[in-house]
Amino acid sequence: MSEISKRFKNVMSRIGQAADQAGRSKEDISLMAVSKKQSVESIMELFELGQRAFGESYLQEATQKQHQLQLCEGLTWHFIGPIQSNKTRLIAEQFDWVHSVDRLKIAQRLSEQRQSNLGDLQICLQVNISAEPTKSGVSPDEIKQLALQVSKLPHLRLRGLMAIPKRETDFEKQRVPYRMLRKLKEELSQDLSLDLDMLSMGVSDDYEAAIAEGATIVRVGTELFGPRG
Ligand SMILES: *Cc1c(COP(=O)(O)O)cnc(C)c1O
């Protein structure tokens, strides 16, 4: 068995176990393979093993890979990096999902630039859940207004929230920001009557804690591919 297929099986089985422990069905949790700084060959290998969702943070790098992988039918591309406004057009044209929307201007541009024949662009709003001054993400105080505005934009479908909390090694500490994000999503769904079904949370180091708190998509890079090149 190749290194990558061992890694893939291991991640899938850990997701299954974390789901069991949380009393959740593993079908309710999907895996995004974070392929930034990883090779097209490794992506191809995971694709052949059945992986479909891939996450990229750098537009130029992603564009090249997308070109090389255009024959991989059913592959979905998720943009997870910081977004500059001059990059929105390509993101709107080349991705299925964007997890890192944190201001209205970016959402408006994605909405205007998404071609209707591509169907709605799926959106998660990135929340600065650990309130770190340098991190991107909308603050929890401002999320409600942003969610309301984004939910009204054509060609976008607001699906939920995303966060990249401060790294912690202790399992219980890892759960805290993810619990906050889940509660925030519940509040938004109720207060604004929005149908939000996604919690994009959990990376290699903490996806089990994220699953315990309700993650519906975990974003795993290093543990699937090995260290980034
Ligand atoms: C790089 C990255 C990941 C994956 O991190 P790993 O620790 O390699 O699993 C997940 N989410 C975002 C937003 C990232 O930029």
Side-chain angles (χ1 to χ4, degrees):
M1 213 191 291
S2 77
E3 195 58 41
I4 225 162
S5 65
K6 278 187 227 159
R7 288 176 175 280
F8 180 61
K9 290 215 164 72
N10 178 50
V11 171
M12 292 307 278
S13 93
R14 282 178 58 188
I15 290 174
Q17 280 167 14
D20 281 350
Q21 259 161 33
R24 305 180 56 200
S25 159
K26 67 174 189 295
E27 274 71 48
D28 294 338
I29 300 152
S30 57
L31 170 66
M32 179 205 304
V34 176
S35 48
K36 63 176 186 221
K37 308 262 173 83
Q38 305 286 359
S39 70
V40 167
E41 289 71 27
S42 314
I43 298 177
M44 193 66 119
E45 199 175 341
L46 279 175
F47 180 80
E48 276 160 13
L49 293 166
Q51 177 61 29
R52 291 294 176 268
F54 291 86
E56 291 281 340
S57 303
Y58 310 105
L59 188 58
Q60 200 180 357
E61 178 193 340
T63 303
Q64 282 179 3
K65 288 175 178 168
Q66 287 167 336
H67 188 69
Q68 289 172 279
L69 292 161
Q70 52 190 323
L71 296 180
C72 294
E73 218 172 299
L75 193 158
T76 60
W77 290 105
H78 297 243
F79 194 82
I80 60 175
I83 307 173
Q84 295 159 280
S85 45
N86 63 347
K87 300 285 169 61
T88 51
R89 181 173 299 280
L90 287 176
I91 294 173
E93 286 171 357
Q94 295 173 187
F95 284 81
D96 304 288
W97 283 77
V98 182
H99 294 242
S100 44
V101 172
D102 64 0
R103 52 196 202 278
L104 184 61
K105 182 179 170 203
I106 295 296
Q108 283 168 333
R109 292 176 64 94
L110 291 171
S111 167
E112 282 159 18
Q113 292 164 343
R114 180 71 169 182
Q115 294 153 325
S116 355
N117 65 314
L118 294 176
D120 287 350
L121 184 60
Q122 310 295 307
I123 302 290
C124 289
L125 299 177
Q126 182 175 349
V127 181
N128 186 358
I129 201 77
S130 324
E132 289 176 85
T134 56
K135 274 260 180 72
S136 26
V138 60
S139 83
D141 300 339
E142 290 163 6
I143 183 72
K144 203 186 220 176
Q145 198 189 0
L146 181 63
L148 189 60
Q149 288 167 320
V150 171
S151 70
K152 292 180 178 150
L153 295 173
H155 310 302
L156 302 186
R157 170 136 185 249
L158 180 59
R159 296 293 296 271
L161 303 181
M162 180 275 231
I164 316 173
K166 188 156 73 81
R167 283 191 189 241
E168 295 282 359
T169 48
D170 176 73
F171 186 76
E172 290 305 320
K173 282 192 182 146
Q174 288 175 344
R175 289 181 67 154
V176 174
Y178 292 138
R179 187 175 312 140
M180 289 165 62
L181 197 71
R182 170 167 53 82
K183 293 200 170 138
L184 208 52
K185 174 173 116 19
E186 285 163 7
E187 270 173 44
L188 285 180
S189 307
Q190 264 208 331
D191 296 357
L192 304 177
S193 300
L194 293 176
D195 179 21
L196 303 178
D197 62 348
M198 293 301 278
L199 276 172
S200 169
M201 55 192 205
V203 301
S204 291
D205 287 341
D206 64 10
Y207 64 89
E208 283 144 320
I211 289 170
E213 293 297 343
T216 59
I217 183 163
V218 293
R219 307 181 309 267
V220 181
T222 315
E223 195 170 296
L224 263 182
F225 289 97
R228 281 184 271 279

